[in-house]
Amino acid sequence: MKLPNFENARVLVAGDIMLDRYWFGEVSRISPEAPVPVVHVSRTEERPGGAANVARNAASLGAKVSLLSVAGKDEAGDSLARLLHNESVNVVLHRDEGLDTTIKLRVIGRQQQLLRIDFETSPSHEVLLSKLADFEKMLADTDVVILSDYGKGGLTHIRQMIELANAMHKPVLVDPKGDDYARYYGATLLTPNRGEFREVAGSWKSEEELAKKAQQLRRDLDLQALLVTRSEEGMTLYREAGTVHEQALAREVYDVSGAGDTVIATLGVLLASGATMPEAVHMANLAAGIVVGKLGTAVVSREELMAQA
């Protein structure tokens, strides 16, 4: 398909943000203190993660992107605000003194992730309530809403957010987490990965059984569509009109972290640009194939997508 111009696409992202830190180094010996590798760190890097990675992916494609979230009044929160500003994302960030900004620290040696260390606390109820008021104001100036749920507490009021978006006829895409999908009732599209879907719907032995479970969940939650991302099996879109399957692209998988962020960001930008759901899924599959060939939470540009389209 011919790619539409993404410059006029307006995307609002809300959800759990985090700071992805990377320590890169060489591994040349095993520690004498314990049977673990010793990493001599030679380079460090910071990237926006979680909903912030969704926002930077949408911005990388050329869309006008706003991000609404909560962060701590700390150094990591400052870093996130700076990084997102540099990615041309309009950020409305509620800063909470009682909150530590979520950090995922990854130690990389020989181009492989050796260790991940997480630092996190849940945001306070008061901060989240004030975020809801801002969400309602920002809805008027957007074409598509993406709710990125990482289970960190930033979307406690997600049911009200979906209702507000529906009342203004704004499509709502949700990247879900956990086993309580009732909170996503009425969304336009849900994008669980294979493991997340199995956690909610149970296992299956055939494509027919998978389709039956997917369509049942779609009806139960009053969704327009359900997209199950299936790793090496590609991704499958379930709608009332039927099923659309996209094969995974045959390329070397370097790193799958953040691939789900790229998928939902691409879907949002394409839908905001007037693409149909199957067209958006096709492009999201291409974007996923590109991003898994990069290390860490990465982005896909419009030029890269055009080269694959």
Side-chain angles (χ1 to χ4, degrees):
M1 66 171 282
K2 186 176 182 292
L3 280 188
N5 191 331
F6 298 147
E7 290 178 4
N8 296 321
R10 301 172 302 169
V11 179
L12 170 59
V13 181
D16 301 306
I17 63 170
M18 54 200 73
L19 182 65
D20 285 338
R21 282 200 165 125
Y22 296 87
W23 291 359
F24 297 94
E26 291 299 315
V27 179
S28 57
R29 63 192 177 100
I30 300 298
S31 170
E33 303 162 359
V36 294
V38 175
V39 183
H40 180 250
V41 176
S42 57
R43 180 168 64 92
T44 63
E45 197 173 316
E46 293 182 337
R47 302 176 192 173
N53 187 42
V54 176
R56 72 189 277 253
N57 265 275
S60 175
L61 289 170
K64 293 184 176 73
V65 185
S66 297
L67 173 68
L68 177 61
S69 193
V70 179
K73 281 191 176 179
D74 51 18
E75 175 265 338
D78 293 341
S79 290
L80 267 173
R82 184 188 70 252
L83 287 167
L84 287 162
H85 176 75
N86 293 341
E87 301 270 4
S88 301
V89 175
N90 172 39
V91 188
V92 176
L93 206 55
H94 291 255
R95 307 293 292 267
D96 184 356
E97 289 182 353
L99 174 69
D100 294 327
T101 301
T102 296
I103 300 171
K104 290 184 178 178
L105 170 61
R106 296 172 176 91
V107 182
I108 313 288
R110 292 178 183 163
Q111 300 300 311
Q112 288 187 317
Q113 187 177 147
L114 303 175
L115 179 68
R116 194 180 94 184
I117 305 167
D118 292 2
F119 307 85
E120 62 188 48
T121 56
S122 295
S124 71
H125 209 63
E126 294 75 20
V127 174
L128 295 173
L129 271 175
S130 61
K131 190 174 84 166
L132 196 59
D134 274 338
F135 177 76
E136 192 168 6
K137 288 178 197 164
M138 296 169 77
L139 270 175
D141 195 32
T142 194
D143 300 309
V144 169
V145 177
I146 299 176
L147 301 178
S148 181
D149 192 352
Y150 270 80
K152 309 299 182 189
L155 288 175
T156 301
H157 304 291
I158 192 166
R159 288 203 73 157
Q160 293 99 308
M161 295 168 96
I162 292 171
E163 287 168 5
L164 286 167
N166 285 340
M168 296 184 68
H169 307 290
K170 309 289 185 178
V172 185
L173 317 185
V174 182
D175 192 357
K177 191 66 69 179
D179 57 5
D180 178 21
Y181 277 25
R183 59 206 295 264
Y184 307 130
Y185 184 88
T188 307
L189 173 72
L190 236 58
T191 64
N193 63 35
R194 185 171 51 190
E196 290 164 342
F197 180 74
R198 185 181 288 115
E199 190 179 344
V200 171
S203 59
W204 56 89
K205 291 189 173 68
S206 66
E207 284 293 320
E208 291 75 21
E209 190 179 359
L210 169 58
K212 187 176 179 182
K213 286 177 178 288
Q215 294 286 21
Q216 187 61 54
L217 182 64
R218 185 188 62 77
R219 286 190 293 270
D220 289 347
L221 297 178
D222 194 27
L223 310 172
Q224 283 186 29
L226 180 73
L227 178 69
V228 181
T229 57
R230 304 168 61 184
S231 195
E232 75 282 355
E233 295 176 349
M235 56 183 69
T236 311
L237 177 71
Y238 300 94
R239 298 183 298 164
E240 189 173 353
T243 301
V244 177
H245 183 71
E246 291 283 342
Q247 297 283 351
L249 297 178
R251 66 173 66 227
E252 186 177 356
V253 176
Y254 200 41
D255 191 344
V256 298
S257 57
D261 299 334
T262 300
V263 167
I264 200 166
T266 307
L267 287 169
V269 172
L270 263 294
L271 291 173
S273 303
T276 66
M277 193 81 76
E279 286 171 342
V281 170
H282 176 68
M283 286 299 164
N285 189 52
L286 292 179
I290 296 167
V291 83
V292 296
K294 303 180 180 184
L295 180 63
T297 46
V299 297
V300 174
S301 69
R302 188 174 189 274
E303 290 68 34
E304 287 175 306
L305 206 51
M306 283 178 68
Q308 294 290 326

